[in-house]
Each structure stands twice: as structure tokens, then as C-alpha cells.
Amino acid sequence: MRAIRRFTVRPVLPDALASLGELAANLRWSWHPPTQALFEAVDAELWQAVGHDPVRLLGEVGGERWAELAADESYVRRAAELREDLTAYLTHDRWYQRARAAEPDATWPAAVAYFSPEFGITAVLPQYSGGLGILAGDHLKAASDLGVPIVGVGLLYRHGYFKQALSHEGWQQESYPVLDPDGLPLSLLHEHDGTRATISIRMPDGPDLLARIWVASVGRVPLLLLDTDFEENPEPYRLITDRLYGGNTEHRLRQELLLGVGGVRALRVHARITGAPEPEVFHTNEGHAGFLGVERIRELTADSDVDFATALEAGRASTVFTTHTPVPAGIDRFPRTLVEQYLGEHGATPGVPVDQVLALGAEDYEGGEPGVFNMAVMGFRLAQRANGVSQLHGHVSRGMFNGLWPAFDEAEVPISSITNGVHAPTWVAPEVAALAEAQGGDPHGDDDAAFWAAFAKVPGPDVWRTKRALRERLVDDARRRLRRSWEKRGAAPAELGWIDEALDPDVLTIGFARRVPSYKRLTLMLRDPARLKALLLHPERPVQLVVAGKAHPADDGGKRLIQELVRFADAEDVRHRIVFLPNYDIALAQPLYPGCDVWLNNPLRPYEACGTSGMKAALNGGLNLSILDGWWDEWYEPEFGWPIPSADSPLLAGDPDKRDDLEAAALYDLIETEVAPRFYDLDHEGVPGRWIEMLRHTWASLGPKVLATRMVRDYVAQLYAPAARNARALAAVPGGARDLAHWKARVRGSWGGVRVEHVEAAGVGDAAEVGAVLRVHSYVALGDLAPSDVEVQLVHGQVDGEDDIVGSEIVPLRLVESYDGGRHRFDGEVALSRPGPFGYTVRVLPAHPLLVAPAELGVVALA
């Protein structure tokens, strides 16, 4: 008989153990081993059974056990000490506060709002699907550790992302368990009178959409999660927050309106109720939350004389947009007519001219589709600062979106790069951290480099024993998961005795786990099955593979790749050496990374935006075996692992099978001739000395680079603080945003009259020599613009065979004379410091102190 309503009854703890409730309510426990150990001590078997979920644990422990623990003075004292430790963590100054005190004249945002459609904080809060969500979760955790005043904004999905199982034939099967928010580490935001805090959004031809606001405490960071699944909403509205990345096009648009428009309104409600500072900077993590910019325009224009252009400039100054996808197919695009329906006068943002909103997302560039509204394009147009997530990805993104700035070379497209990082306390096994702590490393200090440098002093046998123990833990976990998977596939217990011998803690272990779109090439390792089998079954240097990954429910191609790999792994002769573990999530990943010796990543270059799984493996004493893509392209050194040669030649662009064959062969060769021999080359102590040296170098040199704390510091310095500075500069001058908007409109309207009429050069003859000084006189027509509206530049550098300037340098030219008719002369000079082909040109750009990039207005006049 089906219940008509479901809810969770929360336990009443003894007064002496009330601190357990506080510790469970703050998600810091998910990266704090002492707190996890405190919960495990309640009931170790139950702790395992509830998936390390303290909220569930507290709800399932009987009164008799609570009485025992309340009478245990040492346990009560331990719980009280951990509560005090949490209080200190939440209230004491951290890096951000200390840095702000040391630089009182610098710009430090009072608060930053971080919007993302998914957040991977912990497996017990399954609101993530893959790398985007894990990155968002690590961003919040690192911000908490650093004391950066961030507030997260997302959606609470009733089913989260799907759970993955396999059919008997190895086909992916999805299930969607219902999540009860009352049973999750969340609290509902209430008004001062005790009523439920909600936000509303006007919907076309229907009642307003209502959403509740749940708060997850991620250490010091509040994460606001909106959900619509409650009784005040009609049934279609209740389903809006049903699943992550589910539903049809209109369903996705509703979710993204809720995230963007509703998220801004939730921030306002949260600040009003709690007294938290209003965000000065808004960070859009991928285009899904782009409508936040439209809502901020509505806030500024509603009931005031602020026009759209002025509100747009005010919002752009304080907005940061991060793009994550290296493939156009990863971008959300909606029919313009559908967006018009939801954003019209009777839609979500009344008062905002819908035609101007549609222009923000228009693909009005060569190759674009006129009938499409592009969320990434809107993201770039609503943000003054944008970035990719690795150096290579920034280059790829500038190429992808060059159409928005067609007058500029790719290098000057205003998309910078901040390479992702990972949250070490979440992903590094405590046993690994203990190796450095034993050598004096302080995991809680501000000096990350000093902690990771301590690994250089760890004795080789200690490293090897630790890695062997972590490998054994992975083997035990994999066998448990493998048994459950086979039982779900219909196998009888009598058929599964072989699982007790699956994998071996003394065998070289290679991990591969990620989402399963085609470009990540799950099955590249299967290109030559006989060659792979020989590696797995080598009599002296065997290899074992642990593989995991989910295909999108609608991606049958990805599901076929999984089935192909599963069928290979099912074969009796290799099933003890290669396993596919279903339902890849945080809980599976946490023993996987430390237990692997090598992390494999073989995407089609350059389609891996960053690839942070390899970073997690590296921090746990794993070496990378990867295509030079994402972060690996940027930071690879021979001591960190092995690059798989990429066959991304234009000659093979039309022959993907040939490319896969070549790269698979290179992969097999590396494992056979370099990776396995080095792993099994043991010294008199039974330790592979050269391997251990590579691990030490990885920890010491790569460790500090791949941290999420480094990443968040970079965001503060390069994006958050400059955005706050520009926003304050606009606000400090009465009508500042209006003046900037009017200036831009005037410059764009007058740019047709700007041209470089004539350039004269002196100082070099027919045979220029190093040391000569090139003097340039440029005559420029500015039409209705003044010299103060522009910068005239001499662009110079070496030239290639096509006369294109390579590695250009820029010298601003100075105004020398002005003439009638808006004509002016600008002069400058440059010393010729290098031999070889040299070239130069002159260009004119708009100039304003509040512009952040030469290409911001998208216009230029060239000689």
C-alpha cells in the first residue's frame, strides 16, 4: 500500500550528545576525518550501512545505544571538543580575513554569489552528475577553508541524478530514488515569524511559480537550494525540480529560469532574514544560470528611471562567467520563441524589454542560427569577465566564441583562464596526508607548498606500504560493489565465487572513471583486445583496470560503449583483472583515487576542458597516463607520468578510426615498455625506487598547483576583486553606469567614422639593424569622437610567411597634433631588439578606464 505522504522523523538526542546534531548539520564533516570517526564510533556497522551519512545514522540508532554513549565521558568529551573545533573553524579569521587586514586599501568583495546547476559536496547529498558539480562543490569547500565570503546558489532536485545499474547483458539501467529533504543535511529557511520563506516567479498563462529555500551549511559557506515540490504549487510546477538534466526543452528552460531569476531573489530573501551581506560579485558557473543577469537588470529598472543599457553596464561590471564546455553540443540552446514566451511582459522578468533580452542570447554571427537563444552567448554578454578552466581550454574557448568579437584575433578574445583545482581534504586519503604530517607538514597552514614539500622526506618503504594498503582497500571495495552488481544482473551466489579473487592488491592498478560521452573514449583501451589481454595477463608484470562511468540517460551511444567494455570485462579469462563498477559517484571515487597507481585519461584532444580526476589521483600518489589535454597539457613534466602521443593531425581529421588505432597503440606501448617495468622494478627493500621518486616529485611540485585553494585565490585576485573594484567605481560616481552606457552607445554609433588614414615611418632604412629605432607617425580620423575616447596603438613583432604578426607587442601612440575635420596625428617609436622578419601595423581601439579588455566593445580600426 503506497503512502500518500512521506517525511523523516528526526531523532531527539540526549542533552550530553546534542553536539552530534550540530556536527551532522554542517557538511564540514564530509572532509573532516575526526568528525567522521566520531560518527563511526556510534556504530561502525551501521555507519557503513547508511553510506557514511550522519543524519541517517542519528535517525537509526536506538535509545539504548544513546544512553550508553551519553554515559561514556570520553565520548561526550570528544564530541564537545569537536563542536568547539567546528565553532573555531566557523568564526576565526582565515586567509581572506588576514589578507584583507594586511591590505586594507585593496578591494575585497563583501560577498560573492556562486551559481551552478549542480553541486557535488558529498555522496549523501546527490545533487551532481559529474565534473561541473564536483568542481562547484570543491570551489565552495575551498572558499570555506580560506574564509572567502561566498554563498552558493543551486536547485534541490527531488531525484538528484540517476543511480546506475547494469542489465544481465551489460546495458546501463537508470533508477531515480526519491530524496526526502527532511532526511538530508539541510535546513529550511524561515521568515522571522516562523513561516516558510519562499520566492515567486511569474509564469506565462498560469499562476506564479513558488519555490522554497533550503540551506546546506558547507563549512562557512551557505548553499541555497531552491525546490518547487510542495503543496502550494500545481503538479506541473512541482515537477520542475524533479531531476538534474532531465525533461524536454521547456522543462530545462523552466529549471534555468528558476536557477537564475529565482536564485537572485533567494539571495535577497536570505540576506534580509539572516543579515548576510548582499553579494557584490555574481559568478555564473556555466551558462545554465545566465538568467541571473536578466533578473538583476529587472531589479535596477523596476520602479526607477534606470534604462536597460544602464542596468546592463551596472550588472556586467560585477559579473564573472566561467565556461566549461569545449564542445558546442555542451551548450544549452533554446528556441527564441520559447524564451520570448517566458520572458515577455507576463513572464518571469516583467518590465525588461524582451527584444533586448533576446539580443543577448542571439547567435548573430557567422555560422549562428537566427532562431536560437544561446545561454553561453548570453553569459558572455552579461559578464565583463569570463574565463575557461585551463590554459588550453581558454585557447579553445576563444576559438569557439571568436564570432562574438570577429574583428579581433583569437588571442585577444576576452576569455582568460583559471585552471581548476581539487579540494585536498575531500579527496586525499588520511593515510596519505599522514605521511607528510609525520615529516612536519601542516595540512591546516597557509603554506600549501611547505606541506607538499614534506613528502620529499618520506622514506620509500613508508610510501610503498601506504600505497599497498590503499590498493587493498580499493580491492575490497571493488569486490563488494562487483558482487552487488552481479546480483542485480541476476547471478546466483553460487556463480560468484570468482569475485573473491578479483583484482589483487599487489598488481599495478590503473583507474579510469568519468562521464561517458564519445569524446572521452571509454573504449579506446579495447581497440586491440588481444594486446590489452596480454597486458592484463602478463606473467611477470600484470596490469589490472578499474573502470567506472555513467552515460547520459538519453545517450544510447554512450551506453553501447559501456556495454562493450562490460562484455570484455565479463570474460572468464580476464574478469579478475578488469572490472566495471556501476554508479560512479563521490562514494566510489574516494577509495578509487588513492587505490590506483596510474590514472588513465584518453580524450580526443582538445575536448577535455580540464579533467580534475587526474589531479585527485596525483595528490594520492598516483601517476598520470594521459593525452596532453586540459590541465595535463599545461603542467605535464616527465616525473608526473606519461603523455600519450596524440594523433590530432589535420590529415587524420576525417579518419577517426585511424586516429584511435594510433593512440591506442601508443597507449599499449607505454604500459608495456615504460609503466609496468618501472612499477615492478624493485630494490633490495622490495620498493620500486624510481617509481617512488616520481611520486615524491609529483607531490612536491604538482601538489600545490592542483589545489582548489590555489584556484579560489586566483579567482579572488584575478576576477572577484577586480569585478568588485569596477562595480564600486561605477557606483561611486553619480550616474556612472549611465555615463558608461551612453559612452559605449556613442562610440559604437560613431565608429564608422574612425579610420587610420596614413602611416609614415622613419629611423630605419632599406637595411634595418638591431638597435635601430623605428619612429611612426599615424594620421587618424576620429569623426565625432575625441582622442580621449580611443587609444591608438602600434602593434609590432616578428612576422610569419603570410605576413601575420606573431607574438605581437603593443606600444600606445601619443597625440601630437589635431586638425580640422576630426583628424589627428599620433606618434610613437620602438627599438628593434631582435633580428629576423619584423612587421608592424597601427590600430585604433575604444578606450575607457572601466573597460577590461581591448575587444570589449568588439570594434577596431586597422591601418
Side-chain angles (χ1 to χ4, degrees), residues 24 28 131 188 255 377 395 457 518 531 580 589 621 748 826:
R28 188 213 184 193
L188 201 55
Q255 286 187 335
V377 167
H395 166 69
K457 297 179 286 186
S518 59
R531 186 97 186 265
F580 180 87
R748 288 191 179 106
F826 293 81

Side-chain angles (χ1 to χ4, degrees), residues 723-747:
R725 187 161 51 247
N726 259 26
R728 291 179 189 179
L730 279 179
V733 178
R738 180 181 289 108
D739 291 346
L740 179 59
H742 289 172
W743 177 86
K744 285 188 174 183
R746 180 169 59 83
V747 168

Side-chain angles (χ1 to χ4, degrees), residues 351-626:
V352 181
V354 69
D355 59 325
Q356 301 204 51
V357 176
L358 292 173
L360 291 172
E363 294 186 353
D364 52 359
Y365 44 80
E366 185 176 352
E369 294 186 34
V372 165
F373 186 91
N374 186 308
M375 294 296 288
V377 167
M378 179 174 69
F380 285 115
R381 287 172 172 158
L382 284 170
Q384 195 173 31
R385 288 168 174 81
N387 70 287
V389 292
S390 70
Q391 292 292 329
L392 179 59
H393 179 236
H395 166 69
V396 171
S397 297
R398 288 188 289 273
M400 279 179 62
F401 296 104
N402 207 158
L404 295 174
W405 299 273
F408 291 84
D409 294 340
E410 176 263 309
E412 288 193 306
V413 169
I415 303 174
S416 65
S417 297
I418 292 181
T419 303
N420 285 343
V422 299
H423 185 245
T426 293
W427 300 109
V428 176
E431 295 87 346
V432 172
L435 291 173
E437 292 180 56
Q439 302 301 322
D442 179 7
H444 307 297
D446 282 344
D447 190 348
D448 293 328
F451 174 77
W452 294 98
F455 281 98
K457 297 179 286 186
V458 179
D462 291 353
V463 173
W464 200 233
R465 279 193 298 270
T466 299
K467 284 300 295 182
R468 204 269 180 193
L470 294 170
R471 211 180 297 121
E472 186 170 34
R473 179 187 299 167
L474 171 59
V475 168
D476 290 342
D477 185 72
R479 287 173 181 172
R480 284 193 297 270
R481 293 175 182 274
L482 198 59
R483 185 175 298 277
R484 287 200 302 268
S485 176
W486 272 99
E487 288 170 351
K488 289 182 179 180
R489 294 175 69 184
E495 300 177 75
L496 302 179
W498 64 271
I499 290 179
D500 294 334
E501 304 299 323
L503 305 180
D504 184 331
D506 292 307
V507 167
L508 169 61
T509 303
I510 299 177
F512 182 100
R514 51 196 23 91
R515 290 184 304 110
V516 190
S518 59
Y519 72 86
K520 291 184 183 282
R521 296 193 295 184
L522 171 72
T523 56
L524 184 70
M525 62 185 79
L526 301 182
R527 293 298 292 186
D528 186 341
R531 186 97 186 265
L532 176 59
K533 190 174 294 188
L535 292 171
L536 297 174
L537 303 178
H538 194 284
E540 296 159 2
R541 297 190 298 273
V543 173
Q544 60 193 12
L545 277 159
V546 182
V547 185
K550 293 180 176 179
H552 188 279
D555 181 9
D556 282 351
K559 293 179 184 180
R560 279 190 289 271
L561 296 178
I562 291 174
Q563 185 178 49
E564 182 182 351
L565 189 136
V566 169
R567 286 177 169 170
F568 178 88
D570 283 352
E572 291 187 17
D573 57 343
V574 296
R575 65 188 182 186
H576 64 302
R577 287 283 183 260
I578 178 170
V579 297
F580 180 87
L581 303 180
N583 204 42
Y584 180 43
D585 65 358
I586 292 175
L588 190 160
Q590 286 178 319
L592 177 58
Y593 297 125
C596 288
D597 303 294
V598 172
W599 195 257
L600 175 62
N601 189 28
N602 46 230
L604 279 169
R605 188 180 191 274
Y607 294 138
E608 184 76 273
C610 185
T612 56
S613 59
M615 297 178 173
K616 301 178 185 100
L619 292 181
N620 280 288
L623 301 176
N624 275 266
L625 176 60
S626 177

Side-chain angles (χ1 to χ4, degrees), residues 658-846:
K658 179 66 172 177
R659 176 175 178 173
D660 285 354
D661 287 341
L662 289 171
E663 294 184 5
L667 170 61
Y668 300 138
D669 287 343
L670 282 169
I671 295 173
E672 182 178 23
T673 63
E674 296 192 40
V675 180
R678 189 165 297 182
F679 180 86
Y680 288 106
D681 182 18
L682 307 182
D683 61 19
H684 66 282
E685 293 183 286
V687 172
R690 183 74 180 97
W691 189 276
I692 297 299
E693 284 305 310
M694 292 180 73
L695 299 189
R696 289 195 184 107
H697 188 77
T698 298
W699 274 317
S701 299
L702 185 61
K705 294 180 181 178
V706 301
L707 300 179
T709 46
R710 183 274 311 154
M711 172 187 72
V712 172
R713 286 188 181 107
D714 285 351
Y715 272 101
V716 170
Q718 298 175 32
L719 296 175
Y720 295 163
R725 187 161 51 247
N726 259 26
R728 291 179 189 179
L730 279 179
V733 178
R738 180 181 289 108
D739 291 346
L740 179 59
H742 289 172
W743 177 86
K744 285 188 174 183
R746 180 169 59 83
V747 168
R748 288 191 179 106
S750 302
W751 201 255
V754 177
R755 61 188 179 276
V756 180
E757 293 187 326
H758 180 60
V759 178
E760 296 177 356
V764 293
D766 293 335
E769 296 179 343
V770 171
V773 176
L774 171 69
R775 294 187 294 274
V776 172
H777 313 294
S778 179
Y779 296 88
V780 176
L782 296 180
D784 295 331
L785 299 182
S788 59
D789 292 323
V790 302
E791 180 171 280
V792 182
Q793 298 177 340
L794 173 67
V795 184
H796 66 90
Q798 292 184 309
V799 294
D800 60 17
E802 303 296 324
D803 285 343
D804 289 327
I805 299 174
V806 180
S808 62
E809 298 180 33
I810 292 171
V811 174
L813 302 183
R814 63 188 182 278
L815 177 66
V816 175
E817 292 182 304
S818 295
Y819 314 106
D820 293 338
R823 298 175 64 250
H824 310 270
R825 174 181 152 190
F826 293 81
D827 287 2
E829 60 187 35
V830 60
L832 305 184
S833 59
R834 291 180 300 188
F838 178 87
Y840 69 91
T841 188
V842 171
R843 70 177 183 180
V844 186
L845 293 167

Side-chain angles (χ1 to χ4, degrees), residues 136-213:
D138 281 8
H139 197 106
L140 297 194
K141 294 175 193 175
S144 174
D145 290 344
L146 294 170
V148 179
I150 280 180
V151 54
V153 183
L155 302 182
L156 180 66
Y157 304 95
R158 182 182 183 186
H159 301 283
Y161 204 50
F162 69 89
K163 284 188 175 294
Q164 179 196 47
L166 298 174
S167 71
H168 182 73
E169 294 75 24
W171 189 257
Q172 173 179 294
Q173 297 179 318
E174 302 92 23
S175 61
Y176 296 87
V178 175
L179 301 174
D180 178 8
D182 290 320
L184 298 174
L186 304 169
S187 60
L188 201 55
L189 186 65
H190 288 92
E191 297 284 356
H192 296 298
D193 63 4
T195 58
R196 203 163 47 193
T198 61
I199 60 96
S200 64
I201 300 176
R202 186 184 297 181
M203 302 291 278
D205 302 322
D208 288 356
L209 170 68
L210 302 178
R212 300 180 292 189
I213 305 168

